[in-house]
Short mmCIF file of all heavy atoms in Angstrom, two decimals:
data_model
loop_
_atom_site.label_atom_id
_atom_site.label_comp_id
_atom_site.label_asym_id
_atom_site.label_seq_id
_atom_site.Cartn_x
_atom_site.Cartn_y
_atom_site.Cartn_z
N VAL A 237 2.95 27.63 -25.40
CA VAL A 237 3.79 27.00 -26.47
C VAL A 237 3.10 27.10 -27.82
O VAL A 237 3.70 27.49 -28.77
CB VAL A 237 3.96 25.50 -26.13
CG1 VAL A 237 4.72 24.71 -27.21
CG2 VAL A 237 4.68 25.36 -24.68
N GLN A 238 1.88 26.69 -27.88
CA GLN A 238 1.07 26.77 -29.03
C GLN A 238 -0.12 27.67 -28.71
O GLN A 238 -1.17 27.23 -28.41
CB GLN A 238 0.51 25.36 -29.47
CG GLN A 238 -0.37 25.28 -30.73
CD GLN A 238 0.45 25.52 -31.96
OE1 GLN A 238 1.62 25.15 -32.09
NE2 GLN A 238 -0.18 26.27 -32.82
N PRO A 239 0.06 28.99 -28.86
CA PRO A 239 -0.92 29.91 -28.27
C PRO A 239 -2.22 30.00 -29.07
O PRO A 239 -2.41 30.60 -30.10
CB PRO A 239 -0.18 31.28 -28.39
CG PRO A 239 0.97 31.12 -29.22
CD PRO A 239 1.25 29.69 -29.32
N ILE A 240 -3.14 29.20 -28.56
CA ILE A 240 -4.54 29.15 -29.06
C ILE A 240 -5.52 29.81 -28.15
O ILE A 240 -6.44 30.44 -28.63
CB ILE A 240 -4.90 27.70 -29.33
CG1 ILE A 240 -4.04 27.14 -30.50
CG2 ILE A 240 -6.39 27.49 -29.68
CD1 ILE A 240 -4.27 25.65 -30.79
N PHE A 241 -5.24 29.76 -26.88
CA PHE A 241 -6.17 30.29 -25.89
C PHE A 241 -5.94 31.80 -25.62
O PHE A 241 -4.80 32.28 -25.75
CB PHE A 241 -6.03 29.49 -24.57
CG PHE A 241 -6.50 28.18 -24.64
CD1 PHE A 241 -5.86 27.11 -23.80
CD2 PHE A 241 -7.56 27.72 -25.39
CE1 PHE A 241 -6.34 25.84 -23.79
CE2 PHE A 241 -8.00 26.36 -25.34
CZ PHE A 241 -7.34 25.44 -24.60
N THR A 242 -7.00 32.46 -25.26
CA THR A 242 -6.93 33.98 -24.80
C THR A 242 -6.78 33.91 -23.34
O THR A 242 -6.82 32.87 -22.61
CB THR A 242 -8.17 34.60 -25.19
OG1 THR A 242 -9.26 34.20 -24.40
CG2 THR A 242 -8.48 34.55 -26.71
N LYS A 243 -6.69 35.07 -22.82
CA LYS A 243 -6.56 35.25 -21.27
C LYS A 243 -7.86 34.79 -20.55
O LYS A 243 -7.84 34.47 -19.36
CB LYS A 243 -6.20 36.70 -20.90
CG LYS A 243 -4.88 37.08 -21.35
CD LYS A 243 -4.44 38.43 -20.89
CE LYS A 243 -3.14 38.67 -21.48
NZ LYS A 243 -2.36 39.70 -20.91
N TRP A 244 -8.97 34.72 -21.29
CA TRP A 244 -10.17 34.24 -20.69
C TRP A 244 -10.05 32.78 -20.31
O TRP A 244 -10.64 32.26 -19.35
CB TRP A 244 -11.30 34.32 -21.65
CG TRP A 244 -11.96 35.67 -21.61
CD1 TRP A 244 -11.64 36.70 -22.46
CD2 TRP A 244 -12.91 36.14 -20.78
NE1 TRP A 244 -12.45 37.80 -22.08
CE2 TRP A 244 -13.14 37.55 -20.94
CE3 TRP A 244 -13.61 35.63 -19.61
CZ2 TRP A 244 -14.11 38.31 -20.34
CZ3 TRP A 244 -14.51 36.43 -18.97
CH2 TRP A 244 -14.72 37.72 -19.22
N MET A 245 -9.10 32.01 -20.91
CA MET A 245 -8.94 30.62 -20.44
C MET A 245 -8.26 30.56 -19.11
O MET A 245 -8.17 29.42 -18.51
CB MET A 245 -8.03 29.92 -21.45
CG MET A 245 -8.85 29.06 -22.48
SD MET A 245 -10.13 28.10 -21.79
CE MET A 245 -9.27 26.53 -21.73
N LEU A 246 -7.83 31.72 -18.57
CA LEU A 246 -7.46 31.65 -17.23
C LEU A 246 -8.54 31.31 -16.19
O LEU A 246 -8.23 30.90 -15.13
CB LEU A 246 -6.82 33.06 -16.83
CG LEU A 246 -5.50 33.38 -17.56
CD1 LEU A 246 -5.02 34.78 -17.25
CD2 LEU A 246 -4.36 32.46 -17.43
N LEU A 247 -9.81 31.47 -16.63
CA LEU A 247 -10.95 30.91 -15.86
C LEU A 247 -10.76 29.42 -15.67
O LEU A 247 -10.98 28.84 -14.57
CB LEU A 247 -12.27 31.21 -16.53
CG LEU A 247 -12.79 32.69 -16.42
CD1 LEU A 247 -14.00 32.87 -17.23
CD2 LEU A 247 -13.06 33.01 -14.99
N ASP A 248 -10.33 28.72 -16.71
CA ASP A 248 -10.11 27.25 -16.64
C ASP A 248 -8.97 26.94 -15.75
O ASP A 248 -9.07 26.03 -14.96
CB ASP A 248 -9.86 26.70 -17.99
CG ASP A 248 -9.85 25.22 -18.02
OD1 ASP A 248 -10.83 24.53 -17.67
OD2 ASP A 248 -8.75 24.66 -18.36
N LEU A 249 -7.92 27.78 -15.89
CA LEU A 249 -6.76 27.59 -14.94
C LEU A 249 -7.18 27.81 -13.54
O LEU A 249 -6.86 27.06 -12.62
CB LEU A 249 -5.63 28.57 -15.33
CG LEU A 249 -4.37 28.53 -14.47
CD1 LEU A 249 -3.77 27.23 -14.54
CD2 LEU A 249 -3.43 29.64 -14.88
N ALA A 250 -7.98 28.89 -13.24
CA ALA A 250 -8.46 29.13 -11.85
C ALA A 250 -9.37 27.97 -11.41
O ALA A 250 -9.26 27.56 -10.17
CB ALA A 250 -9.27 30.44 -11.87
N GLY A 251 -10.14 27.41 -12.26
CA GLY A 251 -10.94 26.25 -11.93
C GLY A 251 -10.09 25.02 -11.55
O GLY A 251 -10.27 24.34 -10.60
N ASN A 252 -9.00 24.87 -12.27
CA ASN A 252 -8.03 23.75 -11.99
C ASN A 252 -7.30 23.96 -10.76
O ASN A 252 -7.05 22.97 -9.96
CB ASN A 252 -7.05 23.66 -13.14
CG ASN A 252 -7.74 23.12 -14.37
OD1 ASN A 252 -8.81 22.40 -14.35
ND2 ASN A 252 -7.25 23.59 -15.56
N VAL A 253 -6.90 25.20 -10.32
CA VAL A 253 -6.32 25.53 -9.07
C VAL A 253 -7.35 25.22 -7.98
O VAL A 253 -6.99 24.56 -6.97
CB VAL A 253 -5.90 27.02 -9.00
CG1 VAL A 253 -5.45 27.38 -7.59
CG2 VAL A 253 -4.69 27.22 -9.99
N GLY A 254 -8.56 25.62 -8.11
CA GLY A 254 -9.63 25.26 -7.23
C GLY A 254 -9.76 23.81 -6.92
O GLY A 254 -9.89 23.36 -6.00
N ILE A 255 -9.72 23.00 -8.02
CA ILE A 255 -9.88 21.57 -8.01
C ILE A 255 -8.71 21.07 -7.13
O ILE A 255 -8.93 20.14 -6.27
CB ILE A 255 -9.89 20.94 -9.39
CG1 ILE A 255 -11.24 21.28 -10.04
CG2 ILE A 255 -9.76 19.41 -9.33
CD1 ILE A 255 -11.30 21.08 -11.58
N LEU A 256 -7.56 21.55 -7.43
CA LEU A 256 -6.29 21.00 -6.72
C LEU A 256 -6.44 21.28 -5.22
O LEU A 256 -6.32 20.45 -4.30
CB LEU A 256 -5.07 21.59 -7.28
CG LEU A 256 -3.72 21.21 -6.54
CD1 LEU A 256 -3.58 19.67 -6.65
CD2 LEU A 256 -2.60 21.90 -7.15
N LEU A 257 -6.80 22.61 -4.95
CA LEU A 257 -6.87 23.05 -3.53
C LEU A 257 -8.04 22.31 -2.84
O LEU A 257 -7.81 21.79 -1.66
CB LEU A 257 -7.12 24.51 -3.47
CG LEU A 257 -5.82 25.41 -3.85
CD1 LEU A 257 -6.37 26.90 -3.86
CD2 LEU A 257 -4.80 25.13 -2.93
N VAL A 258 -9.23 22.16 -3.39
CA VAL A 258 -10.26 21.48 -2.80
C VAL A 258 -9.85 20.06 -2.51
O VAL A 258 -10.26 19.50 -1.51
CB VAL A 258 -11.58 21.54 -3.62
CG1 VAL A 258 -12.61 20.54 -3.14
CG2 VAL A 258 -12.18 23.01 -3.59
N GLY A 259 -9.28 19.45 -3.50
CA GLY A 259 -8.81 18.04 -3.35
C GLY A 259 -7.79 17.82 -2.25
O GLY A 259 -7.96 16.93 -1.31
N LEU A 260 -6.83 18.75 -2.07
CA LEU A 260 -5.84 18.61 -1.01
C LEU A 260 -6.35 18.92 0.33
O LEU A 260 -6.22 18.22 1.37
CB LEU A 260 -4.68 19.50 -1.30
CG LEU A 260 -3.85 19.09 -2.55
CD1 LEU A 260 -2.75 20.13 -2.80
CD2 LEU A 260 -3.27 17.71 -2.43
N ILE A 261 -7.22 20.08 0.43
CA ILE A 261 -7.82 20.40 1.65
C ILE A 261 -8.85 19.39 2.07
O ILE A 261 -8.96 19.03 3.26
CB ILE A 261 -8.41 21.85 1.58
CG1 ILE A 261 -7.20 22.91 1.38
CG2 ILE A 261 -9.17 22.20 2.85
CD1 ILE A 261 -7.72 24.27 0.98
N GLY A 262 -9.61 18.89 1.09
CA GLY A 262 -10.69 17.97 1.34
C GLY A 262 -10.08 16.67 1.89
O GLY A 262 -10.58 16.00 2.78
N TYR A 263 -8.97 16.21 1.36
CA TYR A 263 -8.21 15.07 1.89
C TYR A 263 -7.88 15.26 3.33
O TYR A 263 -8.18 14.40 4.11
CB TYR A 263 -6.90 14.90 1.08
CG TYR A 263 -6.06 13.83 1.66
CD1 TYR A 263 -6.32 12.51 1.40
CD2 TYR A 263 -4.93 14.05 2.34
CE1 TYR A 263 -5.58 11.47 1.98
CE2 TYR A 263 -4.10 13.14 2.87
CZ TYR A 263 -4.39 11.90 2.71
OH TYR A 263 -3.65 10.86 3.21
N ARG A 264 -7.30 16.40 3.68
CA ARG A 264 -6.91 16.66 5.14
C ARG A 264 -8.17 16.62 6.00
O ARG A 264 -8.16 16.04 7.06
CB ARG A 264 -6.09 17.86 5.25
CG ARG A 264 -4.78 17.81 4.55
CD ARG A 264 -3.95 19.00 4.77
NE ARG A 264 -3.60 19.17 6.15
CZ ARG A 264 -3.16 20.20 6.75
NH1 ARG A 264 -3.10 21.30 6.05
NH2 ARG A 264 -2.84 20.28 7.99
N ILE A 265 -9.19 17.39 5.62
CA ILE A 265 -10.38 17.52 6.45
C ILE A 265 -11.10 16.19 6.57
O ILE A 265 -11.53 15.74 7.64
CB ILE A 265 -11.42 18.55 5.94
CG1 ILE A 265 -10.74 19.99 6.19
CG2 ILE A 265 -12.72 18.46 6.62
CD1 ILE A 265 -11.44 21.13 5.53
N SER A 266 -11.19 15.45 5.48
CA SER A 266 -11.92 14.14 5.46
C SER A 266 -11.10 13.09 6.40
O SER A 266 -11.72 12.32 6.98
CB SER A 266 -12.00 13.60 4.00
OG SER A 266 -12.81 12.44 3.93
N LYS A 267 -9.84 13.22 6.31
CA LYS A 267 -9.01 12.35 7.12
C LYS A 267 -9.29 12.52 8.68
O LYS A 267 -9.39 11.61 9.39
CB LYS A 267 -7.56 12.56 6.98
CG LYS A 267 -6.97 11.73 5.72
CD LYS A 267 -6.91 10.30 6.03
CE LYS A 267 -5.49 9.84 5.86
NZ LYS A 267 -5.35 8.40 5.85
N ARG A 268 -9.44 13.81 8.94
CA ARG A 268 -9.84 14.14 10.37
C ARG A 268 -11.25 13.75 10.75
O ARG A 268 -11.50 13.22 11.85
CB ARG A 268 -9.73 15.68 10.62
CG ARG A 268 -8.23 16.11 10.83
CD ARG A 268 -8.23 17.54 11.45
NE ARG A 268 -9.01 18.45 10.74
CZ ARG A 268 -8.58 19.47 9.91
NH1 ARG A 268 -7.29 19.51 9.61
NH2 ARG A 268 -9.34 20.29 9.31
#
């Protein structure tokens, strides 16, 4: 929308995907 970031900020996006996945998978494993 307001293009300030370069494609390198996809590292941050990848980190955020990792945070979401670890949170969801961690929830399931921790429940078990």
Side-chain angles (χ1 to χ4, degrees):
V237 177
Q238 179 70 34
I240 292 176
F241 293 145
T242 67
K243 290 184 184 196
W244 277 96
M245 266 310 266
L246 295 177
L247 284 174
D248 187 60
L249 178 63
N252 293 329
V253 169
I255 291 166
L256 178 61
L257 290 175
V258 167
L260 295 175
I261 295 167
Y263 171 78
R264 293 183 68 198
I265 290 173
S266 186
K267 277 287 239 194
R268 282 196 309 258

